[in-house]
């Protein structure tokens, strides 16, 4: 198997990492998927990443049909509305990697296009939107972890993807335990992304406040319990996708960035998903339940539902 063309659906913080890493190697064989007004804007303005403007080869889903590798990098809240586009893009031999946070995007996409197209993956990147540009520190970014759910690390598809990424600035890791890595990253997001969003503080609070650290640990314990019920052990420390990266104490993760910008958050993908799975499995998750409602209340406040 050879991958000649790569398409990116979602030119945001994560999609920007792959535009940054693959543009020089792939050139016109790297496509960004968009339609309507967004397509016109991306064609006109391109995207600015780490202070550099990138012109984009923008294609509609119909124009990108049959691409060799599709990288799905939308926001979780946009996944459902993106499914018709994904369906149009995926051809018989297209391989799809979902770079979304959470633990169910592969399931959602697979139900629409068939799980045989999927390579499971998880991203680890500290990126943010500053005005109209995407900003991240490339050399310190852990990048993408990916693998086959059942077949280990030496399949033809994995080798083809690795060959595309090799020789670029992208950091990538082919792993044999991808489901475990996805759950480690999920636990990290649930326990580190959400508390700081509620309190409105930088990540340094996890070290400097025993109370913030306590909330974080209780949220993580609930994810560990849910994962165990699904046969996945994430109780031990890891140096993979679920390990914390060095960050400035003032660093603000995506949920707090969304609240700061008065955007909807992805709390449904974090605490909301833990609540749903806890209910299905008969596991009590009170810390995630409270966190979910607190963040939804902050969203309502941003929307002007109450201001008194």
């Amino acid at each position: 198997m050879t991958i000649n063309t790569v398409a990116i659906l979602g030119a945001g913080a994560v999609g920007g990492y792959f535009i940054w890493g693959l543009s020089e190697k792939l050139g016109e064989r790297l496509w960004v998927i968009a339609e309507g007004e967004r397509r016109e804007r991306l064609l006109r303005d391109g995207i600015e990443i780490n202070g550099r403007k990138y012109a984009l080869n923008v294609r509609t889903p119909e124009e990108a049909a049959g691409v060799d590798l599709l990288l799905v990098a939308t926001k979780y809240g946009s996944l459902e509305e993106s499914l018709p586009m994904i369906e149009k893009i995926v051809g018989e031999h297209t391989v799809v990697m979902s770079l979304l946070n959470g633990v169910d995007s592969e399931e959602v996409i697979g139900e629409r296009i068939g799980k045989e197209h999927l390579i499971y993956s998880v991203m680890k990147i500290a990126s943010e939107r500053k005005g109209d540009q995407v900003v991240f520190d490339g050399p310190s970014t852990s990048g993408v972890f990916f693998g086959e759910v059942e077949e280990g690390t030496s399949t033809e598809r994995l080798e083809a993807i690795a060959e595309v990424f090799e020789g670029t600035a992208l950091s990538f890791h082919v792993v044999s335990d991808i489901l475990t890595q996805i759950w480690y990253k999920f636990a990290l997001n649930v326990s580190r992304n959400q508390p700081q969003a509620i309190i409105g503080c930088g990540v340094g609070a996890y070290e400097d406040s025993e109370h913030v650290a306590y909330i974080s640990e209780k949220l993580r314990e609930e994810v560990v319990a849910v994962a165990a019920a699904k046969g996945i052990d994430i109780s031990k420390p890891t140096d993979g996708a679920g390990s914390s990266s060095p960050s400035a104490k003032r660093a603000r993760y995506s949920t707090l960035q969304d609240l700061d910008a008065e955007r909807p958050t992805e709390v449904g993908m974090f605490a909301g998903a833990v609540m749903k799975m806890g209910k299905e499995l008969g596991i009590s998750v009170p810390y995630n339940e409270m966190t979910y409602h607190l963040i939804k209340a902050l969203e309502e406040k941003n929307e002007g539902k109450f201001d008194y």
Side-chain angles (χ1 to χ4, degrees):
M1 177 182 182
T2 302
I3 294 175
N4 291 308
T5 54
V6 177
I8 300 171
L9 179 59
V14 172
Y17 178 68
F18 287 88
I19 293 170
W20 168 81
L22 293 174
S23 288
E24 184 174 345
K25 180 174 183 177
L26 295 183
E28 293 296 310
R29 295 183 289 125
L30 178 66
W31 310 334
V32 173
I33 309 301
E35 51 190 358
E37 185 278 331
R38 179 172 174 79
R39 174 180 179 275
E40 298 304 316
R41 177 168 52 81
L42 289 173
L43 279 171
R44 181 185 68 243
D45 301 336
I47 183 174
E48 187 173 350
I49 305 169
N50 293 340
R52 175 185 168 185
K53 182 65 71 70
Y54 289 77
L56 302 176
N57 184 358
V58 185
R59 297 202 174 193
T60 65
E62 292 81 3
E63 291 170 339
V67 69
D68 295 325
L69 174 63
L70 172 62
L71 304 176
V72 180
T74 64
K75 295 283 281 186
Y76 185 81
S78 302
L79 179 58
E80 286 289 342
E81 65 188 54
S82 299
L83 291 176
M85 297 175 68
I86 294 171
E87 192 171 23
K88 291 176 185 176
I89 296 165
V90 173
E92 181 180 356
H93 302 294
T94 301
V95 177
V96 180
M97 292 173 63
S98 172
L99 305 171
L100 281 67
N101 283 317
V103 292
D104 66 347
S105 65
E106 282 91 356
E107 298 297 318
V108 173
I109 295 170
E111 287 177 4
R112 189 67 171 248
I113 64 169
K115 292 184 179 179
E116 67 275 10
H117 290 282
L118 290 163
I119 292 290
Y120 280 54
S121 63
V122 60
M123 273 297 298
K124 190 176 180 190
I125 182 171
S127 62
E128 59 181 313
R129 298 298 296 262
K130 289 187 176 179
D132 293 329
Q133 73 166 312
V134 175
V135 178
F136 55 82
D137 180 33
S140 68
T141 296
S142 295
V144 61
F145 296 71
F146 61 96
E148 300 276 12
V149 173
E150 298 176 351
E151 299 184 59
T153 59
S154 60
T155 68
E156 185 180 2
R157 299 196 303 175
L158 296 180
E159 292 170 0
I161 295 169
E163 186 175 340
V164 171
F165 294 163
E166 283 172 355
T168 73
L170 297 177
S171 179
F172 67 94
H173 315 268
V174 184
V175 297
S176 60
D177 60 343
I178 186 59
L179 286 180
T180 301
Q181 293 298 326
I182 287 172
W183 274 88
Y184 267 122
K185 175 66 184 306
F186 182 60
L188 182 69
N189 272 322
V190 167
S191 63
R192 303 277 287 189
N193 212 316
Q194 298 182 128
Q196 69 153 191
I198 295 168
I199 298 165
C201 61
V203 299
Y206 293 111
E207 292 183 1
D208 297 338
S209 168
E210 64 177 294
H211 308 293
V212 179
Y214 178 87
I215 296 167
S216 176
E217 181 57 28
K218 290 299 180 182
L219 287 168
R220 186 181 188 281
E221 287 175 0
E222 292 178 356
V223 178
V224 171
V226 169
K230 290 179 170 285
I232 299 171
D233 181 8
I234 57 170
S235 61
K236 301 177 181 64
T238 178
D239 58 359
S243 59
S244 296
S245 299
S247 300
K249 287 195 171 187
R250 291 186 177 274
R252 300 162 92 81
Y253 294 150
S254 62
T255 304
L256 182 51
Q257 289 182 37
D258 287 338
L259 289 175
D260 287 343
E262 299 188 356
R263 296 187 297 255
T265 73
E266 295 182 316
V267 67
M269 178 177 62
F270 298 143
V274 177
M275 289 166 58
K276 181 176 181 290
M277 290 183 286
K279 184 176 182 180
E280 293 170 350
L281 296 166
I283 297 172
S284 177
V285 291
Y287 283 88
N288 274 279
E289 186 172 352
M290 177 63 77
T291 293
Y292 175 83
H293 291 290
L294 285 169
I295 292 176
K296 295 303 287 186
L298 289 170
E299 288 183 3
E300 290 180 339
K301 184 179 180 182
N302 278 343
E303 293 164 1
K305 189 169 185 177
F306 55 87
D307 187 17
Y308 39 80

